[in-house]
Amino acid sequence: MAEKKSERVSLLRVLGPAHVWALGVGIVLVGEFTGWNFSADKGGSMAALIVCWFVGLLYTSVAMIDSEVTSTVAAAGGQYAQAKHIVGPLMAFNVALYLVFAYTMLEVADAILVGDLLVEVAAGAGAEVSRTPFMLLTISFLAFLNYRGVLATLNMNFVITGLAYLSILVLFFSVQPWSQGAVLKLGDMVTPDNALPYGWIGVIAAFQFGIWYYLGIEGTTQAAEEVRSPARSLPFGTLSGIITLLIGAAITWYVCASLLPWQLLGSTFFPLFDAARATGSQTLSTILFWGTILSAVASANGCINDASRAWFSLGRDKYLPQWFSAVHPKYRTPYRSIVFLLPIAVAFGAFAGLDQAITFSILSGVLQYTFMSINIIMFRRKWPLDSIQRGYTHPFHPLPAILLFILCMVTFVAIFLGFGSQLIAMLAFYFIISIWFHFFRYKYVDRAAQFTMPWPKPIGY
Amino acid sequence: MWDILETGAWIVSFILIAYIVIDWFRTDRSYSNEMLTSSREGELEAETERLHREEAKGGQNG
C-alpha cells in the first residue's frame, strides 16, 4: 500500500535552529568533561588555557566558514556536499571518509567513556563489572533512536545537552567564582614555576588535545537536508553553538585549573567530575557525574546522526554502492547506513582503546578543517558574493581561512609529536583509498548528477 | 545490584539490535529498492527555483 501512496521518499524536513544547536553542541560538549585536560599533561595548566583561546579561534573560523558555505549548499553530507560542488569528486570522497571516521570514532570514544565511568562508580561501591555491556547499550540505544527518526533523536539531544551544560554552570556558580580563595585556589594551583612546565614546546604539543574543547561543532551541517529553513537555521544554530562552547570552555578551564593541580588535571579522565569531588560536595559530585554521562550520550547520539548522513550521501551519489542511500519509508531516516555503521562502532568499542579512538577522530577532524580553509577560498573565487545568494556571509575573508590553515598546521605538528606513526598510517590509508576510488570506483559515479545546486557557472569555467 | 544492571544492559542491547535488524529486513522486503533509494540531493532547492521562475513568469504575464 505504502509503495502505491508514494513513489519517492526523502529525509524529513522537521528541524529548527534549536536542533542544529543541539546537534553541534551535543557532539562537542563531552570534550569539556574529558579530553581537553590532557593538554595540561602536555604543557601545564597555562598551556591548556592558551590552546583554549587559540583553538577557540580555529573553531570560530570553522563555524563562520561552515555557516556561509552550508547555508548555500544545503544537502545531507555537509562538508562532503560542499567539496563535491566546490573542489571535485576525489576531495569529496576523502572529506566524506574524514567525516565518517571522525564521528564514528568519537561515538566509540563516548560509549567507552560511559562504560568506564560506570565501571569506576561500581568499583567505588565494591562491585566489579565489565564496561562492554554498558558501551553496547549506549551504542545500540542511540542507533535505535536514530533509526526511528531524526526529530525525537535531536529533541532528546537538546534536553540532555542542555542538562549537561547546566551541570557545568551549577558547578561554576557553586564554587563562588567571584571570590578566589573561598573555594577556588588558582593562585596556588598555577604558579610562575608550574604554569608552563615544558616551556613553549609544551604549548604546541597541547594543541592536539585543545581540539577537544570544540571538536565536532562543524557537525551541524549534516542536518542541512532535514532543517526547515537551512539558510536561517544552520548559521544561527552553528554560531550560537560556538558561542555556547567558548563560554563553556573558559568556565571549565577556570574551575578545573583552580581546583586540581596540573599533574592530576593532565592525567584524569574526568576533570569536571574530579573538580566537583575536590569541592567535597556530594551533591556537586552527583550532578557532575550525570553531566558527564549525559554529555557522552549526547555526543554519541549526534555522531551516529552525522556519520550515517555522510555515508548515506556517498551511497546516493554512487561513490559507494547506492544500496546505502535507502531512506526508511516510515521513519524517513537513512536506515541502511545506520545499520551498517552500528557493528563497526561496536567492534571498535570492544577491541580498540579510548586513546586510539580519540586519535583517529582528531586526525580525521583536523584533515577536514584543513580542507575547509582551502574550500572557502575556492568558493569565494568561483562564486563571488554577488553571484549567488548566501544565507550568511562571514566577515574578514580571507583572514579566518588563513588563520584556520595555520592553526591546522600547528595541530598537525602537535599530533606528529605525540602520535607520529598513527598520523602517517592514517595519511597512507587516505592515499591508498583515494587511488582505489580514482581507478576502480569513480566509473560508477553518475557525473551529470553531481552538481545539484541551482547556481550560475563558476568563474573561469 | 551491579550484576543485575550488567545483565540488563546485555539483554536490552540485544532486544534493540534485534528490533533494528528485523525492521530492516521487513522494510527491505516490503518496498522496492527503487523507491527506498529514490531520495535526490537538492530537491527542495530545485523546487524553490522552479517556483521562483513561475512566480517571475506570472508577474510578467500579469
Side-chain angles (χ1 to χ4, degrees), chain A residues 2 8-9 84 130 137 147-148 316 326-328 331 335-336 452, chain B residues 6 13 19 23-24 28 31-33 35-36 38-41 43-44:
Chain A
R8 297 286 289 267
V9 60
K84 192 179 67 171
S130 163
L137 180 62
Y147 188 97
R148 298 263 305 179
R316 190 165 61 177
V327 173
H328 197 291
Y331 305 131
Y335 70 109
R336 284 182 188 158
T452 60
Chain B
E6 198 176 3
S13 301
Y19 172 90
D23 187 80
W24 166 35
D28 279 7
Y31 299 90
S32 72
N33 200 49
M35 182 207 161
L36 294 172
S38 61
S39 164
R40 293 292 172 266
E41 185 182 283
E43 277 177 330
L44 182 73

PDB file of all heavy atoms in Angstrom, chain A residues 2 8-9 84 130 137 147-148 316 326-328 331 335-336 452, chain B residues 6 13 19 23-24 28 31-33 35-36 38-41 43-44:
ATOM      1  N   ALA A   2       1.828   1.257   0.920  1.00  0.00           N
ATOM      2  CA  ALA A   2       2.673   2.443   1.063  1.00  0.00           C
ATOM      3  C   ALA A   2       3.429   2.720  -0.233  1.00  0.00           C
ATOM      4  O   ALA A   2       3.648   3.872  -0.594  1.00  0.00           O
ATOM      5  CB  ALA A   2       3.634   2.253   2.205  1.00  0.00           C
ATOM      6  N   ARG A   8       8.363   8.455  -4.275  1.00  0.00           N
ATOM      7  CA  ARG A   8       9.656   8.991  -3.831  1.00  0.00           C
ATOM      8  C   ARG A   8       9.661   9.102  -2.315  1.00  0.00           C
ATOM      9  O   ARG A   8       8.654   9.425  -1.702  1.00  0.00           O
ATOM     10  CB  ARG A   8       9.882  10.392  -4.424  1.00  0.00           C
ATOM     11  CG  ARG A   8       9.955  10.440  -5.931  1.00  0.00           C
ATOM     12  CD  ARG A   8      11.258   9.882  -6.465  1.00  0.00           C
ATOM     13  NE  ARG A   8      12.375  10.757  -6.184  1.00  0.00           N
ATOM     14  CZ  ARG A   8      12.810  11.682  -7.037  1.00  0.00           C
ATOM     15  NH1 ARG A   8      12.220  11.858  -8.191  1.00  0.00           N
ATOM     16  NH2 ARG A   8      13.857  12.434  -6.742  1.00  0.00           N
ATOM     17  N   VAL A   9      10.804   8.844  -1.727  1.00  0.00           N
ATOM     18  CA  VAL A   9      10.918   9.005  -0.281  1.00  0.00           C
ATOM     19  C   VAL A   9      12.225   9.728   0.015  1.00  0.00           C
ATOM     20  O   VAL A   9      13.259   9.423  -0.574  1.00  0.00           O
ATOM     21  CB  VAL A   9      10.819   7.639   0.440  1.00  0.00           C
ATOM     22  CG1 VAL A   9      11.906   6.686   0.010  1.00  0.00           C
ATOM     23  CG2 VAL A   9      10.831   7.805   1.945  1.00  0.00           C
ATOM     24  N   LYS A  84      32.090  18.429  -3.041  1.00  0.00           N
ATOM     25  CA  LYS A  84      31.640  17.918  -4.340  1.00  0.00           C
ATOM     26  C   LYS A  84      31.316  19.067  -5.291  1.00  0.00           C
ATOM     27  O   LYS A  84      31.654  19.025  -6.466  1.00  0.00           O
ATOM     28  CB  LYS A  84      30.382  17.063  -4.103  1.00  0.00           C
ATOM     29  CG  LYS A  84      29.945  16.240  -5.260  1.00  0.00           C
ATOM     30  CD  LYS A  84      28.713  15.434  -4.882  1.00  0.00           C
ATOM     31  CE  LYS A  84      27.522  16.334  -4.656  1.00  0.00           C
ATOM     32  NZ  LYS A  84      26.267  15.602  -4.499  1.00  0.00           N
ATOM     33  N   SER A 130      32.010  -5.307  33.900  1.00  0.00           N
ATOM     34  CA  SER A 130      32.678  -5.067  32.626  1.00  0.00           C
ATOM     35  C   SER A 130      32.078  -3.821  31.976  1.00  0.00           C
ATOM     36  O   SER A 130      30.872  -3.560  32.118  1.00  0.00           O
ATOM     37  CB  SER A 130      32.484  -6.280  31.719  1.00  0.00           C
ATOM     38  OG  SER A 130      32.758  -5.930  30.388  1.00  0.00           O
ATOM     39  N   LEU A 137      25.148  -1.043  25.188  1.00  0.00           N
ATOM     40  CA  LEU A 137      23.807  -0.478  25.419  1.00  0.00           C
ATOM     41  C   LEU A 137      23.741   0.966  24.917  1.00  0.00           C
ATOM     42  O   LEU A 137      22.763   1.371  24.287  1.00  0.00           O
ATOM     43  CB  LEU A 137      23.463  -0.534  26.913  1.00  0.00           C
ATOM     44  CG  LEU A 137      22.085   0.039  27.296  1.00  0.00           C
ATOM     45  CD1 LEU A 137      20.955  -0.741  26.627  1.00  0.00           C
ATOM     46  CD2 LEU A 137      21.893   0.028  28.809  1.00  0.00           C
ATOM     47  N   TYR A 147      17.521   5.425  14.241  1.00  0.00           N
ATOM     48  CA  TYR A 147      16.787   4.629  13.253  1.00  0.00           C
ATOM     49  C   TYR A 147      15.330   5.069  13.192  1.00  0.00           C
ATOM     50  O   TYR A 147      14.721   5.125  12.137  1.00  0.00           O
ATOM     51  CB  TYR A 147      16.901   3.159  13.663  1.00  0.00           C
ATOM     52  CG  TYR A 147      16.364   2.159  12.675  1.00  0.00           C
ATOM     53  CD1 TYR A 147      17.209   1.513  11.771  1.00  0.00           C
ATOM     54  CD2 TYR A 147      15.009   1.828  12.650  1.00  0.00           C
ATOM     55  CE1 TYR A 147      16.719   0.577  10.878  1.00  0.00           C
ATOM     56  CE2 TYR A 147      14.512   0.901  11.761  1.00  0.00           C
ATOM     57  CZ  TYR A 147      15.367   0.275  10.875  1.00  0.00           C
ATOM     58  OH  TYR A 147      14.873  -0.653   9.992  1.00  0.00           O
ATOM     59  N   ARG A 148      14.770   5.411  14.361  1.00  0.00           N
ATOM     60  CA  ARG A 148      13.330   5.687  14.463  1.00  0.00           C
ATOM     61  C   ARG A 148      12.945   7.122  14.099  1.00  0.00           C
ATOM     62  O   ARG A 148      11.758   7.434  14.035  1.00  0.00           O
ATOM     63  CB  ARG A 148      12.859   5.418  15.897  1.00  0.00           C
ATOM     64  CG  ARG A 148      13.020   3.988  16.341  1.00  0.00           C
ATOM     65  CD  ARG A 148      11.770   3.204  16.208  1.00  0.00           C
ATOM     66  NE  ARG A 148      10.650   3.802  16.896  1.00  0.00           N
ATOM     67  CZ  ARG A 148       9.420   3.292  16.898  1.00  0.00           C
ATOM     68  NH1 ARG A 148       9.171   2.202  16.229  1.00  0.00           N
ATOM     69  NH2 ARG A 148       8.453   3.882  17.549  1.00  0.00           N
ATOM     70  N   ARG A 316      24.177   7.764  -2.150  1.00  0.00           N
ATOM     71  CA  ARG A 316      23.236   8.428  -3.059  1.00  0.00           C
ATOM     72  C   ARG A 316      23.912   8.902  -4.333  1.00  0.00           C
ATOM     73  O   ARG A 316      23.328   8.906  -5.397  1.00  0.00           O
ATOM     74  CB  ARG A 316      22.579   9.602  -2.322  1.00  0.00           C
ATOM     75  CG  ARG A 316      21.428  10.193  -3.074  1.00  0.00           C
ATOM     76  CD  ARG A 316      20.581  11.089  -2.201  1.00  0.00           C
ATOM     77  NE  ARG A 316      21.319  12.225  -1.663  1.00  0.00           N
ATOM     78  CZ  ARG A 316      20.770  13.170  -0.912  1.00  0.00           C
ATOM     79  NH1 ARG A 316      19.486  13.093  -0.610  1.00  0.00           N
ATOM     80  NH2 ARG A 316      21.481  14.183  -0.445  1.00  0.00           N
ATOM     81  N   ALA A 326      19.346   4.234   0.949  1.00  0.00           N
ATOM     82  CA  ALA A 326      17.925   3.982   1.212  1.00  0.00           C
ATOM     83  C   ALA A 326      17.424   4.833   2.380  1.00  0.00           C
ATOM     84  O   ALA A 326      18.120   5.009   3.372  1.00  0.00           O
ATOM     85  CB  ALA A 326      17.719   2.507   1.525  1.00  0.00           C
ATOM     86  N   VAL A 327      16.213   5.336   2.208  1.00  0.00           N
ATOM     87  CA  VAL A 327      15.551   6.101   3.277  1.00  0.00           C
ATOM     88  C   VAL A 327      14.372   5.266   3.771  1.00  0.00           C
ATOM     89  O   VAL A 327      13.609   4.720   2.961  1.00  0.00           O
ATOM     90  CB  VAL A 327      15.059   7.461   2.739  1.00  0.00           C
ATOM     91  CG1 VAL A 327      14.228   8.184   3.790  1.00  0.00           C
ATOM     92  CG2 VAL A 327      16.238   8.323   2.312  1.00  0.00           C
ATOM     93  N   HIS A 328      14.237   5.175   5.075  1.00  0.00           N
ATOM     94  CA  HIS A 328      13.141   4.388   5.645  1.00  0.00           C
ATOM     95  C   HIS A 328      11.817   5.073   5.308  1.00  0.00           C
ATOM     96  O   HIS A 328      11.642   6.255   5.611  1.00  0.00           O
ATOM     97  CB  HIS A 328      13.309   4.295   7.166  1.00  0.00           C
ATOM     98  CG  HIS A 328      12.507   3.208   7.782  1.00  0.00           C
ATOM     99  ND1 HIS A 328      11.130   3.244   7.850  1.00  0.00           N
ATOM    100  CD2 HIS A 328      12.875   2.028   8.345  1.00  0.00           C
ATOM    101  CE1 HIS A 328      10.695   2.147   8.447  1.00  0.00           C
ATOM    102  NE2 HIS A 328      11.737   1.387   8.754  1.00  0.00           N
ATOM    103  N   TYR A 331      10.064   6.064   8.908  1.00  0.00           N
ATOM    104  CA  TYR A 331      10.804   6.931   9.828  1.00  0.00           C
ATOM    105  C   TYR A 331      11.590   8.021   9.105  1.00  0.00           C
ATOM    106  O   TYR A 331      12.083   8.955   9.742  1.00  0.00           O
ATOM    107  CB  TYR A 331      11.759   6.088  10.679  1.00  0.00           C
ATOM    108  CG  TYR A 331      11.083   4.969  11.433  1.00  0.00           C
ATOM    109  CD1 TYR A 331      11.589   3.676  11.400  1.00  0.00           C
ATOM    110  CD2 TYR A 331       9.915   5.207  12.158  1.00  0.00           C
ATOM    111  CE1 TYR A 331      10.961   2.643  12.088  1.00  0.00           C
ATOM    112  CE2 TYR A 331       9.280   4.183  12.835  1.00  0.00           C
ATOM    113  CZ  TYR A 331       9.807   2.903  12.800  1.00  0.00           C
ATOM    114  OH  TYR A 331       9.189   1.892  13.471  1.00  0.00           O
ATOM    115  N   TYR A 335      18.308   4.505   7.037  1.00  0.00           N
ATOM    116  CA  TYR A 335      18.365   3.369   7.962  1.00  0.00           C
ATOM    117  C   TYR A 335      19.455   2.351   7.620  1.00  0.00           C
ATOM    118  O   TYR A 335      20.056   1.764   8.518  1.00  0.00           O
ATOM    119  CB  TYR A 335      16.988   2.694   8.070  1.00  0.00           C
ATOM    120  CG  TYR A 335      16.549   1.936   6.845  1.00  0.00           C
ATOM    121  CD1 TYR A 335      16.505   0.544   6.839  1.00  0.00           C
ATOM    122  CD2 TYR A 335      16.165   2.597   5.695  1.00  0.00           C
ATOM    123  CE1 TYR A 335      16.097  -0.162   5.726  1.00  0.00           C
ATOM    124  CE2 TYR A 335      15.755   1.912   4.579  1.00  0.00           C
ATOM    125  CZ  TYR A 335      15.723   0.525   4.590  1.00  0.00           C
ATOM    126  OH  TYR A 335      15.322  -0.160   3.477  1.00  0.00           O
ATOM    127  N   ARG A 336      19.714   2.144   6.330  1.00  0.00           N
ATOM    128  CA  ARG A 336      20.750   1.148   5.997  1.00  0.00           C
ATOM    129  C   ARG A 336      22.131   1.643   6.420  1.00  0.00           C
ATOM    130  O   ARG A 336      22.982   0.850   6.827  1.00  0.00           O
ATOM    131  CB  ARG A 336      20.731   0.838   4.505  1.00  0.00           C
ATOM    132  CG  ARG A 336      19.582  -0.053   4.088  1.00  0.00           C
ATOM    133  CD  ARG A 336      19.659  -0.358   2.610  1.00  0.00           C
ATOM    134  NE  ARG A 336      18.487  -1.050   2.127  1.00  0.00           N
ATOM    135  CZ  ARG A 336      18.097  -1.066   0.857  1.00  0.00           C
ATOM    136  NH1 ARG A 336      18.804  -0.404  -0.058  1.00  0.00           N
ATOM    137  NH2 ARG A 336      17.030  -1.721   0.481  1.00  0.00           N
ATOM    138  N   THR A 452      24.068  19.702  -7.963  1.00  0.00           N
ATOM    139  CA  THR A 452      22.618  19.796  -7.766  1.00  0.00           C
ATOM    140  C   THR A 452      22.137  21.200  -7.403  1.00  0.00           C
ATOM    141  O   THR A 452      20.944  21.450  -7.377  1.00  0.00           O
ATOM    142  CB  THR A 452      22.181  18.832  -6.641  1.00  0.00           C
ATOM    143  OG1 THR A 452      22.870  19.204  -5.445  1.00  0.00           O
ATOM    144  CG2 THR A 452      22.497  17.399  -6.988  1.00  0.00           C
TER     145      THR A 452
ATOM    146  N   GLU B   6      24.311  -5.092  34.795  1.00  0.00           N
ATOM    147  CA  GLU B   6      25.170  -5.602  33.728  1.00  0.00           C
ATOM    148  C   GLU B   6      24.390  -6.555  32.812  1.00  0.00           C
ATOM    149  O   GLU B   6      24.407  -6.425  31.585  1.00  0.00           O
ATOM    150  CB  GLU B   6      26.372  -6.319  34.359  1.00  0.00           C
ATOM    151  CG  GLU B   6      27.528  -6.507  33.410  1.00  0.00           C
ATOM    152  CD  GLU B   6      28.725  -7.143  34.123  1.00  0.00           C
ATOM    153  OE1 GLU B   6      28.636  -7.481  35.312  1.00  0.00           O
ATOM    154  OE2 GLU B   6      29.757  -7.310  33.444  1.00  0.00           O
ATOM    155  N   SER B  13      20.309  -4.404  25.086  1.00  0.00           N
ATOM    156  CA  SER B  13      21.080  -4.168  23.855  1.00  0.00           C
ATOM    157  C   SER B  13      20.663  -5.149  22.769  1.00  0.00           C
ATOM    158  O   SER B  13      20.433  -4.750  21.617  1.00  0.00           O
ATOM    159  CB  SER B  13      22.574  -4.333  24.111  1.00  0.00           C
ATOM    160  OG  SER B  13      23.000  -3.444  25.095  1.00  0.00           O
ATOM    161  N   TYR B  19      15.424  -5.582  17.185  1.00  0.00           N
ATOM    162  CA  TYR B  19      14.347  -4.755  16.612  1.00  0.00           C
ATOM    163  C   TYR B  19      14.820  -4.099  15.309  1.00  0.00           C
ATOM    164  O   TYR B  19      14.119  -4.129  14.295  1.00  0.00           O
ATOM    165  CB  TYR B  19      13.927  -3.666  17.615  1.00  0.00           C
ATOM    166  CG  TYR B  19      12.966  -2.663  17.008  1.00  0.00           C
ATOM    167  CD1 TYR B  19      11.591  -2.861  17.077  1.00  0.00           C
ATOM    168  CD2 TYR B  19      13.449  -1.544  16.318  1.00  0.00           C
ATOM    169  CE1 TYR B  19      10.710  -1.966  16.486  1.00  0.00           C
ATOM    170  CE2 TYR B  19      12.571  -0.654  15.713  1.00  0.00           C
ATOM    171  CZ  TYR B  19      11.206  -0.853  15.801  1.00  0.00           C
ATOM    172  OH  TYR B  19      10.351   0.032  15.198  1.00  0.00           O
ATOM    173  N   ASP B  23      13.270  -4.994  11.661  1.00  0.00           N
ATOM    174  CA  ASP B  23      12.591  -3.927  10.910  1.00  0.00           C
ATOM    175  C   ASP B  23      13.287  -3.665   9.579  1.00  0.00           C
ATOM    176  O   ASP B  23      12.637  -3.394   8.569  1.00  0.00           O
ATOM    177  CB  ASP B  23      12.545  -2.646  11.748  1.00  0.00           C
ATOM    178  CG  ASP B  23      11.705  -1.576  11.074  1.00  0.00           C
ATOM    179  OD1 ASP B  23      10.472  -1.653  11.176  1.00  0.00           O
ATOM    180  OD2 ASP B  23      12.286  -0.689  10.404  1.00  0.00           O
ATOM    181  N   TRP B  24      14.599  -3.741   9.593  1.00  0.00           N
ATOM    182  CA  TRP B  24      15.388  -3.545   8.372  1.00  0.00           C
ATOM    183  C   TRP B  24      14.990  -4.582   7.319  1.00  0.00           C
ATOM    184  O   TRP B  24      14.676  -4.241   6.169  1.00  0.00           O
ATOM    185  CB  TRP B  24      16.883  -3.644   8.737  1.00  0.00           C
ATOM    186  CG  TRP B  24      17.825  -3.804   7.601  1.00  0.00           C
ATOM    187  CD1 TRP B  24      17.721  -3.267   6.352  1.00  0.00           C
ATOM    188  CD2 TRP B  24      19.049  -4.559   7.609  1.00  0.00           C
ATOM    189  NE1 TRP B  24      18.798  -3.637   5.588  1.00  0.00           N
ATOM    190  CE2 TRP B  24      19.617  -4.421   6.336  1.00  0.00           C
ATOM    191  CE3 TRP B  24      19.703  -5.320   8.575  1.00  0.00           C
ATOM    192  CZ2 TRP B  24      20.826  -5.035   5.996  1.00  0.00           C
ATOM    193  CZ3 TRP B  24      20.908  -5.921   8.248  1.00  0.00           C
ATOM    194  CH2 TRP B  24      21.460  -5.782   6.966  1.00  0.00           C
ATOM    195  N   ASP B  28      12.948  -3.799   3.801  1.00  0.00           N
ATOM    196  CA  ASP B  28      13.552  -4.152   2.522  1.00  0.00           C
ATOM    197  C   ASP B  28      12.659  -5.100   1.713  1.00  0.00           C
ATOM    198  O   ASP B  28      12.654  -5.064   0.484  1.00  0.00           O
ATOM    199  CB  ASP B  28      14.930  -4.790   2.743  1.00  0.00           C
ATOM    200  CG  ASP B  28      16.006  -3.743   2.964  1.00  0.00           C
ATOM    201  OD1 ASP B  28      15.644  -2.558   3.081  1.00  0.00           O
ATOM    202  OD2 ASP B  28      17.193  -4.097   3.021  1.00  0.00           O
ATOM    203  N   TYR B  31       9.178  -2.988   0.384  1.00  0.00           N
ATOM    204  CA  TYR B  31       9.252  -1.888  -0.580  1.00  0.00           C
ATOM    205  C   TYR B  31      10.317  -2.181  -1.632  1.00  0.00           C
ATOM    206  O   TYR B  31      11.295  -2.877  -1.354  1.00  0.00           O
ATOM    207  CB  TYR B  31       9.604  -0.569   0.124  1.00  0.00           C
ATOM    208  CG  TYR B  31       8.590  -0.136   1.151  1.00  0.00           C
ATOM    209  CD1 TYR B  31       8.708  -0.548   2.478  1.00  0.00           C
ATOM    210  CD2 TYR B  31       7.511   0.660   0.786  1.00  0.00           C
ATOM    211  CE1 TYR B  31       7.773  -0.167   3.429  1.00  0.00           C
ATOM    212  CE2 TYR B  31       6.572   1.054   1.737  1.00  0.00           C
ATOM    213  CZ  TYR B  31       6.710   0.641   3.053  1.00  0.00           C
ATOM    214  OH  TYR B  31       5.780   1.014   3.984  1.00  0.00           O
ATOM    215  N   SER B  32      10.120  -1.613  -2.801  1.00  0.00           N
ATOM    216  CA  SER B  32      11.107  -1.834  -3.864  1.00  0.00           C
ATOM    217  C   SER B  32      12.372  -1.020  -3.569  1.00  0.00           C
ATOM    218  O   SER B  32      12.303   0.045  -2.949  1.00  0.00           O
ATOM    219  CB  SER B  32      10.536  -1.407  -5.209  1.00  0.00           C
ATOM    220  OG  SER B  32      10.453  -0.002  -5.257  1.00  0.00           O
ATOM    221  N   ASN B  33      13.486  -1.529  -4.028  1.00  0.00           N
ATOM    222  CA  ASN B  33      14.751  -0.817  -3.809  1.00  0.00           C
ATOM    223  C   ASN B  33      14.752   0.539  -4.516  1.00  0.00           C
ATOM    224  O   ASN B  33      15.340   1.500  -4.030  1.00  0.00           O
ATOM    225  CB  ASN B  33      15.921  -1.682  -4.284  1.00  0.00           C
ATOM    226  CG  ASN B  33      17.221  -1.230  -3.666  1.00  0.00           C
ATOM    227  OD1 ASN B  33      17.310  -1.032  -2.456  1.00  0.00           O
ATOM    228  ND2 ASN B  33      18.223  -1.008  -4.491  1.00  0.00           N
ATOM    229  N   MET B  35      12.267   2.552  -4.877  1.00  0.00           N
ATOM    230  CA  MET B  35      11.577   3.533  -4.041  1.00  0.00           C
ATOM    231  C   MET B  35      12.436   3.924  -2.836  1.00  0.00           C
ATOM    232  O   MET B  35      12.566   5.109  -2.517  1.00  0.00           O
ATOM    233  CB  MET B  35      10.249   2.960  -3.555  1.00  0.00           C
ATOM    234  CG  MET B  35       9.457   3.953  -2.732  1.00  0.00           C
ATOM    235  SD  MET B  35       8.394   3.125  -1.586  1.00  0.00           S
ATOM    236  CE  MET B  35       8.056   4.415  -0.423  1.00  0.00           C
ATOM    237  N   LEU B  36      13.027   2.945  -2.197  1.00  0.00           N
ATOM    238  CA  LEU B  36      13.812   3.227  -0.989  1.00  0.00           C
ATOM    239  C   LEU B  36      15.025   4.108  -1.284  1.00  0.00           C
ATOM    240  O   LEU B  36      15.451   4.892  -0.444  1.00  0.00           O
ATOM    241  CB  LEU B  36      14.270   1.907  -0.341  1.00  0.00           C
ATOM    242  CG  LEU B  36      13.155   1.028   0.231  1.00  0.00           C
ATOM    243  CD1 LEU B  36      13.705  -0.325   0.658  1.00  0.00           C
ATOM    244  CD2 LEU B  36      12.476   1.701   1.418  1.00  0.00           C
ATOM    245  N   SER B  38      15.172   6.404  -3.658  1.00  0.00           N
ATOM    246  CA  SER B  38      14.736   7.438  -4.607  1.00  0.00           C
ATOM    247  C   SER B  38      15.061   8.861  -4.152  1.00  0.00           C
ATOM    248  O   SER B  38      14.786   9.817  -4.863  1.00  0.00           O
ATOM    249  CB  SER B  38      13.230   7.311  -4.837  1.00  0.00           C
ATOM    250  OG  SER B  38      12.566   7.500  -3.596  1.00  0.00           O
ATOM    251  N   SER B  39      15.629   9.003  -2.972  1.00  0.00           N
ATOM    252  CA  SER B  39      15.966  10.349  -2.486  1.00  0.00           C
ATOM    253  C   SER B  39      16.990  11.005  -3.407  1.00  0.00           C
ATOM    254  O   SER B  39      17.925  10.350  -3.867  1.00  0.00           O
ATOM    255  CB  SER B  39      16.534  10.239  -1.067  1.00  0.00           C
ATOM    256  OG  SER B  39      17.195  11.420  -0.722  1.00  0.00           O
ATOM    257  N   ARG B  40      16.791  12.295  -3.687  1.00  0.00           N
ATOM    258  CA  ARG B  40      17.739  13.020  -4.545  1.00  0.00           C
ATOM    259  C   ARG B  40      18.190  14.292  -3.853  1.00  0.00           C
ATOM    260  O   ARG B  40      17.376  14.999  -3.273  1.00  0.00           O
ATOM    261  CB  ARG B  40      17.097  13.372  -5.890  1.00  0.00           C
ATOM    262  CG  ARG B  40      16.787  12.160  -6.754  1.00  0.00           C
ATOM    263  CD  ARG B  40      18.051  11.462  -7.246  1.00  0.00           C
ATOM    264  NE  ARG B  40      17.750  10.195  -7.906  1.00  0.00           N
ATOM    265  CZ  ARG B  40      17.756   9.009  -7.308  1.00  0.00           C
ATOM    266  NH1 ARG B  40      18.044   8.907  -6.032  1.00  0.00           N
ATOM    267  NH2 ARG B  40      17.477   7.910  -7.981  1.00  0.00           N
ATOM    268  N   GLU B  41      19.467  14.594  -3.973  1.00  0.00           N
ATOM    269  CA  GLU B  41      20.017  15.814  -3.364  1.00  0.00           C
ATOM    270  C   GLU B  41      19.482  17.041  -4.097  1.00  0.00           C
ATOM    271  O   GLU B  41      19.339  17.017  -5.315  1.00  0.00           O
ATOM    272  CB  GLU B  41      21.542  15.773  -3.473  1.00  0.00           C
ATOM    273  CG  GLU B  41      22.236  16.919  -2.766  1.00  0.00           C
ATOM    274  CD  GLU B  41      23.743  16.843  -2.954  1.00  0.00           C
ATOM    275  OE1 GLU B  41      24.368  16.029  -2.282  1.00  0.00           O
ATOM    276  OE2 GLU B  41      24.264  17.594  -3.792  1.00  0.00           O
ATOM    277  N   GLU B  43      16.543  18.519  -4.014  1.00  0.00           N
ATOM    278  CA  GLU B  43      15.150  18.536  -4.485  1.00  0.00           C
ATOM    279  C   GLU B  43      14.442  19.820  -4.087  1.00  0.00           C
ATOM    280  O   GLU B  43      13.767  20.442  -4.886  1.00  0.00           O
ATOM    281  CB  GLU B  43      14.390  17.343  -3.899  1.00  0.00           C
ATOM    282  CG  GLU B  43      14.594  16.064  -4.683  1.00  0.00           C
ATOM    283  CD  GLU B  43      13.900  14.872  -4.042  1.00  0.00           C
ATOM    284  OE1 GLU B  43      13.770  14.858  -2.808  1.00  0.00           O
ATOM    285  OE2 GLU B  43      13.500  13.977  -4.773  1.00  0.00           O
ATOM    286  N   LEU B  44      14.634  20.221  -2.827  1.00  0.00           N
ATOM    287  CA  LEU B  44      13.963  21.418  -2.325  1.00  0.00           C
ATOM    288  C   LEU B  44      14.463  22.661  -3.061  1.00  0.00           C
ATOM    289  O   LEU B  44      13.685  23.525  -3.452  1.00  0.00           O
ATOM    290  CB  LEU B  44      14.203  21.571  -0.823  1.00  0.00           C
ATOM    291  CG  LEU B  44      13.503  22.759  -0.184  1.00  0.00           C
ATOM    292  CD1 LEU B  44      12.010  22.511  -0.078  1.00  0.00           C
ATOM    293  CD2 LEU B  44      14.063  23.053   1.198  1.00  0.00           C
TER     294      LEU B  44
END
